[in-house]
Amino acid sequence: MIEKFDPLKGESLRIIDADGRADPDYDPKLPDADLRRIYSLMATTRTADTKAFKLQRQGRMGTYAPSRGQEACQVGPGFALKPEDWLFPYFRDLGMYITLGYPLATYFHFWMGNENGMKTPDGLNIFPLAIPVASQIPHAVGAGMAATIKKLRVAVAVTFGDGATSEGDFHEALNFAGVFKTPNVFICYNNQYAISVPRKKQTAAPTIAQKALAYGFSGIQVDGNDVLAMHAAAREALDRARAGLGPTLIEAYTYRLWDHTTSDDAAKYRDKSEAAEWEKKDPIDRFRAYLRNRGLWDETFEKEVAEKAAGEVEKAVAEAESLPPASIEDLFSFTYSAMPPGLKEQLGEAKSAAGEVLR
Ligand SMILES: Cc1ncc(C[n+]2csc(CCOP(=O)(O)OP(=O)(O)O)c2C)c(N)n1
């Protein structure tokens, strides 16, 4: 399927149309239970994301990067990953985390300022999320090369935004991936902005997907607000990676409905009418229409999903807030196994500024 959509011809994959009707040629034909589960995961992501935003405003969470509008491009591929695969995520990936079963309380704890929140529980192959833009992409390719050397039949997925594609790390990583035919799936959430920089100032190329061609492998642009399209594209790319057929770049064409982070004000650089147009393409509404057409959605189901999501989110917040808060040491402890003298000195300064005695 991936080869059928040529980014150079402006072709992109979309399965569910605006009325919630699926293209029978590309519908991945998931079992009903899976479809309902995907809806529930998207709804939980929306609920948790909204809660995180509010917690920041109440002073109960640090700076937070919201995922509103990007639930389909995160949950769709997350649902295609197998437990033995690896994920190298970045800071805007709540739906991935929820789909892969990362404890929400632990995730919230991270955004409350505690590095322990990035200690992935045993059994989950998720690297700590990257804040430095694009730095996770070479790491993912390295992991892909390691998997090949160890003859593991696993795929290694990595997520990043459109802004990351301007970093050297992106190009170096994709070049290695092409040359060494690594089992990577590169998922770019093209949400149209890198903070205030619009996509058209990021690259002169008409699509991000086509950048894969220069590195000798396939790229596909996908409607990132269509969860089935994102799932189908990711599933095929992950299967190909596991089978030793090399990497794929997936460009999820989507939109960040809220601010870049809680420290940003998108109204300063985006026209309100633009966001209003994208509100109409809400990925959860689209998938709900699809489920309704298939007789898999009604008000009772909606209520069940909403109550379950609210319950899980409230429980996670209570748990995260009961965990120990971050200490000053935590800000310094996680880069080096033995702290170099310069950092030790800064730790001392930070502690005395905070009125603590250096131990
Ligand atoms: C190496 C690096 N440079 C700059 C920043 C500051 N910064 C944080 S997010 C961001 C924009 C990222 O945009 P994009 O990659 O499109 O992802 P999005 O935030 O839109 O999901 C920048 C420049 C950073 N975190 N790391």
Side-chain angles (χ1 to χ4, degrees):
M1 177 188 75
I2 286 173
E3 306 302 339
K4 287 197 184 149
F5 294 87
D6 185 351
L8 291 176
K9 292 189 186 143
E11 294 168 351
S12 68
L13 172 68
R14 182 188 216 195
I15 295 178
I16 309 176
D17 68 16
D19 299 324
R21 307 268 168 212
D23 181 336
D25 290 342
Y26 296 107
D27 188 338
K29 301 193 174 58
L30 295 174
D32 293 352
D34 282 1
L35 294 169
R36 286 178 140 210
R37 170 103 185 110
I38 288 173
Y39 183 76
S40 175
L41 290 165
M42 290 171 78
T44 306
T45 303
R46 176 72 55 97
T47 307
D49 195 55
T50 309
K51 184 72 186 183
F53 202 89
K54 287 181 184 164
L55 289 175
Q56 191 280 337
R57 291 292 189 257
Q58 293 165 4
R60 293 159 70 192
M61 190 172 273
T63 301
Y64 175 73
S67 284
R68 196 182 188 87
Q70 296 184 220
E71 294 86 353
C73 58
Q74 298 172 351
V75 172
F79 206 74
L81 280 165
K82 292 189 174 169
E84 63 271 24
D85 295 334
W86 278 84
L87 173 69
F88 286 68
Y90 81 122
F91 50 79
R92 197 184 313 282
D93 235 347
L94 176 61
M96 264 294 182
Y97 273 89
I98 287 180
T99 305
L100 296 179
Y102 197 91
L104 191 52
T106 314
Y107 189 78
F108 279 163
H109 198 214
F110 169 76
W111 289 100
M112 287 172 181
N114 202 311
E115 289 294 336
N116 287 315
M118 274 298 120
K119 198 163 179 288
T120 304
D122 289 346
L124 287 178
N125 294 339
I126 307 177
F127 225 63
L129 65 78
I131 299 282
V133 170
S135 58
Q136 71 279 24
I137 314 176
H139 297 165
V141 172
M145 291 172 80
T148 307
I149 292 165
K150 291 179 115 180
K151 299 194 171 30
L152 302 173
R153 290 179 78 82
V154 301
V156 181
V158 53
T159 57
F160 48 90
D162 41 297
T165 66
S166 296
E167 293 281 357
D169 275 354
F170 168 82
H171 299 280
E172 291 155 20
L174 267 72
N175 191 49
F176 258 79
V179 170
F180 291 97
K181 243 181 157 191
T182 59
N184 285 108
V185 178
F186 302 98
I187 305 171
C188 176
Y189 302 145
N190 170 11
N191 63 11
Q192 313 303 327
Y193 287 89
I195 316 185
S196 56
V197 178
R199 155 59 191 84
K200 63 175 183 304
K201 286 197 181 157
Q202 205 64 249
T203 173
T207 70
I208 286 167
Q210 73 193 70
K211 289 176 186 280
L213 308 181
Y215 296 110
F217 56 92
S218 302
I220 181 171
Q221 190 185 60
V222 179
D223 181 336
N225 285 16
D226 175 349
V227 73
L228 286 190
M230 282 304 299
H231 176 73
R235 199 167 72 177
E236 185 175 312
L238 290 163
D239 283 346
R240 282 168 26 151
R242 286 185 215 102
L245 299 174
T248 308
L249 170 63
I250 298 174
E251 173 189 356
Y253 194 86
T254 183
Y255 193 78
R256 155 168 68 72
L257 286 175
W258 277 356
D259 299 328
H260 169 72
T261 65
T262 45
S263 314
D264 175 44
D265 177 6
K268 292 211 165 99
Y269 54 86
R270 293 195 319 204
D271 200 273
K272 271 200 179 120
S273 61
E274 184 186 278
E277 275 310 303
W278 278 92
E279 291 275 0
K280 292 182 200 155
K281 300 177 197 164
D282 189 306
I284 298 184
D285 292 347
R286 179 123 54 106
F287 195 48
R288 186 186 304 113
Y290 168 79
L291 292 183
R292 195 195 292 120
N293 289 337
R294 292 200 43 173
L296 295 173
W297 181 94
D298 60 18
E299 291 293 347
T300 315
F301 175 61
E302 181 71 30
K303 204 164 161 265
E304 261 173 44
V305 166
E307 279 172 7
K308 187 168 163 282
E312 278 175 25
V313 169
E314 289 309 320
K315 196 166 156 272
V317 173
E319 195 186 327
E321 290 190 325
S322 74
L323 292 169
S327 70
I328 289 176
E329 272 97 345
D330 285 351
L331 297 175
F332 296 84
S333 297
F334 293 97
T335 307
Y336 299 96
S337 55
M339 208 183 284
L343 263 192
K344 262 192 193 156
E345 202 179 308
Q346 289 177 36
L347 172 60
E349 284 167 12
K351 280 185 150 191
S352 55
E356 283 187 38
V357 185
L358 182 61
R359 269 175 290 181

